[in-house]
Amino acid sequence: MDQKSVLWLNPDYKAKPDFPVHDLNTQIIIDAQNRFKNFLPLLRVLFPEIEGDLQSPLSEIPQMKKELEKKYSVNIGDPLLLKRDDQLPVAGSIKARGGFHEVFAFAEHLALTHGLLNSNQENYMQLLSDKAKQLFRQYTIAVGSTGNLGLSIGMIGTALGFQVAVHMSADAKEWKKNLLRQHGVKVVEHASDYTLAVEAARKESEADKQSYFVDDENSQLLFAGYAAAANELKTQLDEKGIEIHSGQPLFVYLPCGVGGGPGGITFGLKSVFGADVHCFFAEPTSSPAMLVGLATKLHNHVSVQVFGLDNKTEADGLAVGTPSAFVGTIMEELLSGIYTITDEELFRLLYSLSTSENIFLEPSALAGMKGPVMTSSASKGPGTNQAVHVVWATGGSLVPGEIRENFLQRGAGLVDR
Ligand SMILES: *Cc1c(COP(=O)(O)O)cnc(C)c1O
């Protein structure tokens, strides 16, 4: 309530959770991986800039590690890794995972029911045919967003031939709205926050039977798309010769808005690494939605506003006041903890990552960067000695140059504080 940075360790955490978790089976991960594989050739035709798989790099950031150790007087084990979802093609954020997956699933469903694909049809290229375009054109995909989910659904939806309506909360940045309009997306602006923008999108969509609603608060398809990232990370760690075991556990730090992205990845990582992974969510001090939801176990029946917090943050991707109950329930025993971070620190970290490693991220994506500091200096909780730390960089590559400059200047003005 004082808007100070805190670390909350989950008292209900169970190192080795039982799957399925609340009826959610790991089969959803395999299905999502297969769907991505089936759609990849088509995706490459639509977006020639995509080379290889729909994956993001995993990079070591040794200079940033030094900066963190100096600034916060802590020791962070080796290596410190950055998962570069800001480099995901087309959407430029983690939302490429969940958003693309759900639009793919909807397109696939329509194509199957209209005889454009049969159930063991291999040739997904059919979905680029004129016949498919004519079919998809009759449907509107609707979504409520603080910005990036709208970008992801808008880009992929319009490319496949769907109509797309994005309901944007007041936090959404002007450049994100403009980019969508350029792609023929209908942008509906709301003066309210994320929760009400989602509500408006849901209502509008329910009134139109040709409309499909992507429900950021409850979607299992979004969740599964994010969860598929776990095996990608496992493969990348293997390639680097980094073994994860009880003597060298994996610590992963995930910026959290409504919870779907970080929740899906946590679900996936727990299924892959079991007791050897610890996942932590990171939220702004003014928007700790998942923290209040989990700590009170009230989930979506509580909000940050109840605690007198205003949900105002420059981290637009994290500006959510009420968490997803669907995700929160699944996280009850899987998540190791949550910490909060001030906007001032986000900008300082943004600047320091840029000067030390020449990597630019959007403010939301820096929330995970304080994770190794928070867990290393915690007096209780899992030990971080010998841990491999992965900071999940969730977005930033689409931010226009002028706005980057502005963010960097804000950070530069804060470095000595
Ligand atoms: C959406 C988003 C998140 C958080 O994902 P949720 O599913 O809302 O929890 C984190 N970072 C960025 C940049 C995002 O766009």
Side-chain angles (χ1 to χ4, degrees):
M1 291 170 83
D2 293 339
Q3 304 213 35
K4 290 195 180 124
S5 175
V6 295
L7 171 68
W8 174 77
L9 296 171
N10 181 6
D12 297 318
Y13 174 71
K14 253 173 102 177
K16 246 193 142 66
D18 299 318
F19 284 88
V21 182
H22 289 278
D23 294 337
L24 205 60
N25 204 289
T26 51
Q27 183 64 34
I28 62 161
I29 304 174
I30 297 161
D31 292 346
Q33 284 172 194
N34 287 337
R35 193 167 278 124
F36 278 126
K37 208 168 98 210
N38 289 336
F39 273 86
L40 187 63
L42 166 164
L43 200 61
R44 287 214 199 110
V45 172
L46 291 174
F47 303 102
E49 72 264 33
I50 300 178
E51 295 161 8
D53 290 345
L54 192 65
Q55 288 198 350
S56 73
L58 179 69
S59 320
E60 281 196 41
I61 44 169
Q63 298 310 321
M64 185 63 189
K65 185 174 105 91
K66 280 188 203 147
E67 293 279 313
L68 287 171
E69 290 181 327
K70 200 169 72 191
K71 168 85 194 164
Y72 293 98
S73 310
V74 290
N75 270 320
I76 300 166
D78 264 321
L80 177 60
L81 297 161
L82 190 65
K83 184 64 176 147
R84 302 286 311 272
D85 274 11
D86 59 298
Q87 296 293 310
L88 283 173
V90 187
S93 81
I94 186 172
K95 301 298 192 306
R97 300 183 183 277
F100 286 15
H101 180 247
E102 178 143 10
V103 172
F104 290 164
F106 180 52
E108 187 182 74
H109 165 78
L110 285 177
L112 282 166
T113 50
H114 288 80
L116 287 169
L117 277 178
N118 59 44
S119 50
N120 46 17
Q121 166 78 264
E122 302 263 282
N123 189 9
Y124 277 68
M125 286 299 190
Q126 284 297 325
L127 303 190
L128 295 180
S129 65
D130 287 345
K131 244 175 141 177
K133 284 235 164 64
Q134 267 173 35
L135 172 65
F136 295 158
R137 203 168 49 213
Q138 298 164 38
Y139 291 87
T140 300
I141 301 178
V143 66
S145 173
T146 64
N148 285 344
L149 184 63
L151 270 184
S152 157
I153 302 280
M155 297 295 209
I156 194 72
T158 51
L160 284 168
F162 288 105
Q163 297 184 57
V164 181
V166 175
H167 290 253
M168 289 284 206
S169 65
D171 317 277
K173 303 287 183 209
E174 215 45 53
W175 68 264
K176 292 183 181 176
K177 298 180 199 168
N178 290 337
L179 189 58
L180 281 175
R181 289 192 186 104
Q182 283 164 25
H183 281 81
V185 170
K186 181 178 129 188
V187 176
V188 187
E189 300 183 86
H190 294 271
S192 57
D193 80 353
Y194 163 86
T195 307
L196 291 171
V198 170
E199 201 43 48
R202 182 181 284 122
K203 278 230 175 72
E204 190 183 279
S205 198
E206 274 168 4
D208 174 4
K209 67 178 191 344
Q210 293 294 97
S211 176
Y212 176 86
F213 178 55
V214 174
D215 188 345
D216 198 16
E217 291 173 326
N218 299 295
S219 167
Q220 195 172 302
L221 285 167
L222 286 176
F223 190 84
Y226 296 121
N231 282 315
E232 179 182 317
L233 180 64
K234 163 91 171 90
T235 306
Q236 289 175 325
L237 290 168
D238 288 348
E239 282 166 3
K240 288 184 185 294
I242 300 171
E243 271 182 57
I244 301 302
H245 49 79
S246 59
Q248 181 165 279
L250 181 64
F251 277 57
V252 183
Y253 307 100
L254 300 145
C256 176
V258 75
I265 291 172
T266 298
F267 180 84
L269 288 172
K270 278 312 233 187
S271 82
V272 173
F273 295 103
D276 299 336
V277 64
H278 285 283
C279 297
F280 291 87
F281 288 0
E283 301 189 295
T285 49
S286 55
S287 309
M290 193 56 80
L291 173 51
V292 299
L294 274 173
T296 61
K297 296 205 174 75
L298 291 171
H299 300 300
N300 62 342
H301 297 292
V302 72
S303 68
V304 302
Q305 287 88 350
V306 169
F307 291 87
L309 297 168
D310 62 8
N311 190 27
K312 293 251 182 319
T313 169
E314 281 292 330
D316 50 339
L318 315 181
V320 175
T322 306
S324 160
F326 157 63
V327 176
T329 310
I330 295 167
M331 288 303 108
E332 279 174 357
E333 295 181 345
L334 299 190
L335 191 65
S336 290
I338 302 179
Y339 66 87
T340 57
I341 179 166
T342 64
D343 275 25
E344 205 171 274
E345 283 179 292
L346 291 177
F347 280 105
R348 203 162 53 209
L349 292 167
L350 184 149
Y351 176 75
S352 122
L353 183 67
S354 170
T355 49
S356 64
E357 303 279 352
N358 198 21
I359 294 173
F360 175 86
L361 299 176
E362 64 185 275
S364 301
L366 272 307
M369 194 60 83
K370 206 187 168 189
V373 175
M374 296 301 279
T375 55
S376 302
S377 44
S379 53
K380 283 192 224 144
T384 60
N385 274 351
Q386 311 300 320
V388 173
H389 300 273
V390 174
V391 172
W392 214 282
T394 45
S397 63
L398 297 187
V399 178
E402 204 180 308
I403 294 166
R404 284 181 190 219
E405 268 323 301
N406 183 295
F407 284 160
L408 286 166
Q409 270 177 26
R410 265 183 84 168
L414 293 165
V415 273
D416 295 327
R417 290 220 235 149

